[in-house]
Amino acid sequence: MLKALLASALLLAVTGAVLAAEPNAARKAELLYRLKHDCGSCHGMTLKGGLGPALLPASIKEHSNEFLIDVIRDGVVGTPMPPWGFELSQDETAWLVKKLRQGVSHEN
Amino acid sequence: MKIKLVLVCALLLSACVTQQGSLRGTGDLGVIIERAAGSIKVIETTDRTSLYGLKGLGDLSHASTVFSRDGRYAYIFGRDGGLSKIDLLERKIVKRVMQSGNSIGGAISQDGKLIAVSNYKPGGVKVFNSTTLELVADIPATEIGDGKRSKVVGLVDAPGQKFIFSLYDSGEIWLADFAKGNKPVIKKFKDIGTLPYDGLVTPDGRYYIAGLFGEDGLSLLDLWQTDKGVKRILDGYGRGKRKLPVYKMPHLEGWASVGDQLFLPAVGHHEVLVVERDSWKKIDAIPVHGQPIFAVARPDGRQIWVNFAHPRNNVVQVIDVPSRKIIKTLTPGKAVLHLEFTPRGEQVWLSVRDEDRVEVYDTRTFKRLATIKADKPSGIFLTARANRTGL
């Protein structure tokens, strides 16, 4: 019984991680808009960097998802990077990181 | 024969005038940056209309503009390193160069002959002939390892044919003196503080002030006595203990200077600070709606208009200078990024980025005078800047 419970908990944890709820279409559009215009005010509208570092796929490939999500949600003390967790959920941030890794088109 | 000659002359004359069919000055013109589309709108403030648009200016996020001293040409500094020279009367791009990979604004020299651009990548300043946009001087910033050079911020002009700027990564202020020709004499001030992120020169051209992100306080250079070096002022200025995160860096250029007082955006506090010039002591703090970005004085000094950082950026507040009270709160729309007064202060122009419009208000009645459509407008720059030090 305990084993079964553990197994299902594990299963849940695994699927939960894989199937992190993606934001809906309207929210996705808003997140990409924010990325371009608000993140873009320091990282460049095309994410090639500015006062803050570039956020292109090649520039972030050395960093883990966890690290990037933490940086976005909690900010970096001692630098101008502020914490965005007050308006970005874990799932939304994970989705943004996924988009950053894929490379964001500048057409939107 | 005589009639023919007259006709030819008339034709020749008409070819010389602008597309509007009449001669005009440029004193009431201005440029609105459309940051995402890489375009600008050229506007006039007499009838408050948009005259025309120009495209093909590259990445204009955080772009800024300076004007030739005759007010005819606008120089646009793009984020992607593009430097474009616009003929406001002929309505065209006269010249465009890609001068670096990543840049952050520029300045025009006291005599109008040099255009300087501050660059993030490669870090440094490049100086161009304002007529031809040919490179005149290249000033690489201090190396910070890995072959990289410090980013350069807060570039302004100053009297005596000088440019002054701050080095973000290496914590320096440099003064480049072009008085003796195109090989500048560079004076370097080191250890001026951690992470200077922007700078301004007071309207009289005497003081250069750099904001520090890495620590509290500001760095001040008295350009009348540069041998005294850089002094730390306003040690309590900055985020301090109760610090709030900063979702957009306050701009220093807009700092309002009224008589012997400066009104400046606090960093990490929802306040506009009042500082006494010369003693550089804080004498008051005015609570406002959010993290202020620009605090700009109406040209007569009677009012200060303030806009705010994300997510409280739909609001603009007006401070009455004598009473230091907020006398008006306006909600022009989502993401008010910038504001610019007409030279005598009867109008203020506000860019409302997320709603694709620029609003013009009467500064006495606070009534809206006009709405101009623009694509994701950011900076608004009027030609009156041509005649002001530091702008």
Side-chain angles (χ1 to χ4, degrees):
Chain A
M1 175 66 187
L2 195 65
K3 253 192 199 164
L5 206 69
L6 260 174
S8 49
L10 244 163
L11 200 73
L12 202 69
V14 170
T15 51
V18 174
L19 300 173
E22 284 206 349
N24 66 32
R27 181 65 178 158
K28 280 181 185 171
E30 189 177 344
L31 290 173
L32 288 177
Y33 184 88
R34 296 271 151 246
L35 180 65
K36 178 172 176 176
H37 292 286
D38 292 305
C39 307
S41 61
C42 280
H43 296 281
M45 198 171 56
T46 54
L47 304 177
K48 287 180 189 160
L51 201 63
L55 302 179
L56 302 173
S59 1
I60 59 170
K61 69 173 190 297
E62 286 165 27
H63 300 301
S64 68
N65 286 350
E66 291 69 27
F67 174 82
L68 292 169
I69 291 168
D70 283 355
V71 163
I72 295 169
R73 298 199 73 228
D74 301 339
V76 183
V77 176
T79 78
M81 178 66 186
W84 293 91
F86 80 100
E87 64 172 21
L88 295 179
S89 71
Q90 184 81 19
D91 288 348
E92 288 171 341
T93 313
W95 182 79
L96 270 176
V97 168
K98 192 174 98 185
K99 294 306 283 185
L100 286 175
R101 290 210 189 279
Q102 290 167 359
V104 180
S105 131
H106 307 304
E107 303 310 313
N108 54 79
Chain B
M1 177 62 194
K2 207 169 187 180
I3 294 184
K4 252 190 197 162
L5 202 74
V6 171
L7 261 172
V8 170
C9 288
L11 252 163
L12 266 171
L13 197 72
S14 70
C16 296
V17 301
T18 67
Q19 288 173 17
Q20 279 186 315
S22 61
L23 290 167
R24 78 162 351 270
T26 60
D28 63 346
L29 298 185
V31 167
I32 297 172
I33 303 290
E34 298 178 307
R35 68 198 301 276
S39 53
I40 58 166
K41 286 255 176 335
V42 175
I43 54 88
E44 54 81 29
T45 59
T46 304
D47 297 316
R48 298 177 287 273
T49 59
S50 173
L51 297 175
Y52 60 95
L54 283 176
K55 292 187 164 108
L57 298 165
D59 177 354
L60 293 187
S61 55
H62 211 288
S64 61
T65 302
V66 298
F67 295 95
S68 60
R69 60 202 276 124
D70 61 4
R72 177 164 179 178
Y73 300 101
Y75 299 88
I76 318 258
F77 307 101
R79 176 36 87 56
D80 55 4
L83 166 61
S84 309
K85 180 178 178 181
I86 312 285
D87 185 332
L88 294 173
L89 293 176
E90 296 274 8
R91 307 185 169 197
K92 63 180 188 194
I93 301 170
V94 183
K95 185 94 187 170
R96 182 169 155 76
V97 294
M98 290 304 289
Q99 56 84 40
S100 82
N102 198 325
S103 86
I104 190 77
I108 187 163
S109 62
Q110 186 176 35
D111 70 356
K113 292 191 172 148
L114 301 173
I115 300 286
V117 193
S118 63
N119 289 317
Y120 283 163
K121 207 192 282 175
V125 170
K126 283 189 179 168
V127 180
F128 298 86
N129 176 311
S130 64
T131 307
T132 61
L133 296 194
E134 276 162 14
L135 186 69
V136 164
D138 187 3
I139 309 172
T142 302
E143 278 194 53
I144 52 165
D146 291 339
K148 286 186 188 159
R149 293 183 184 276
S150 173
K151 299 182 191 83
V152 172
V153 298
L155 168 66
V156 297
D157 63 290
Q161 195 68 354
K162 293 183 178 94
F163 291 113
I164 312 172
F165 45 92
S166 297
L167 281 64
Y168 176 76
D169 303 286
S170 57
E172 297 172 71
I173 292 174
W174 287 11
L175 202 161
D177 185 341
F178 284 83
K180 290 187 180 145
N182 289 341
K183 274 219 159 126
V185 178
I186 295 173
K187 194 163 178 173
K188 301 176 183 178
F189 301 88
K190 303 198 172 185
D191 302 318
I192 61 103
T194 310
L195 300 181
Y197 66 91
D198 197 7
L200 87 137
V201 65
T202 48
D204 58 3
R206 175 164 180 183
Y207 297 103
Y208 179 79
I209 301 170
L212 302 173
F213 199 88
E215 55 191 298
D216 286 351
L218 298 162
S219 296
L220 173 88
L221 180 62
D222 182 349
L223 298 172
W224 290 8
Q225 338 180 48
T226 54
D227 52 323
K228 292 208 169 157
V230 173
K231 179 168 108 177
R232 183 65 56 88
I233 55 165
L234 278 179
D235 268 339
Y237 180 73
R239 293 176 301 157
K241 284 186 193 129
R242 304 180 290 124
K243 68 186 166 197
L244 299 169
V246 177
Y247 288 95
K248 187 171 166 60
M249 305 292 274
H251 279 238
L252 300 191
E253 181 192 283
W255 279 19
S257 184
V258 180
D260 62 352
Q261 295 169 1
L262 284 174
F263 289 72
L264 49 110
V267 181
H269 300 284
H270 295 176
E271 292 172 346
V272 168
L273 306 181
V274 187
V275 173
E276 189 180 58
R277 200 169 131 159
D278 298 328
S279 76
W280 303 104
K281 294 256 183 305
K282 181 172 104 175
I283 52 176
D284 205 354
I286 304 164
V288 290
H289 171 78
Q291 165 67 57
I293 295 295
F294 286 99
V296 188
R298 198 171 70 175
D300 66 345
R302 178 71 199 265
Q303 297 174 350
I304 310 284
W305 287 58
V306 189
N307 73 335
F308 302 98
H310 177 86
R312 315 202 76 181
N313 56 4
N314 62 328
V315 163
V316 169
Q317 288 187 312
V318 183
I319 297 169
D320 174 59
V321 168
S323 65
R324 296 185 197 147
K325 293 230 155 34
I326 288 166
I327 52 165
K328 192 74 188 175
T329 297
L330 298 165
T331 47
K334 272 176 81 180
V336 178
L337 290 197
H338 193 220
L339 50 129
E340 177 97 336
F341 290 94
T342 45
R344 297 191 188 207
E346 83 288 357
Q347 304 167 32
V348 65
W349 289 55
L350 307 169
S351 54
V352 190
R353 183 194 68 195
D354 289 0
E355 302 192 15
D356 294 317
R357 54 189 164 81
V358 167
E359 298 291 357
V360 186
Y361 285 88
D362 182 315
T363 62
R364 188 176 54 84
T365 63
F366 306 114
K367 289 210 168 77
R368 198 167 66 187
L369 299 172
T371 299
I372 310 251
K373 279 190 184 167
D375 185 351
K376 305 281 173 289
S378 54
I380 304 171
F381 304 92
L382 301 185
T383 52
R385 288 171 173 255
N387 305 305
R388 291 183 59 194
T389 295
L391 296 183

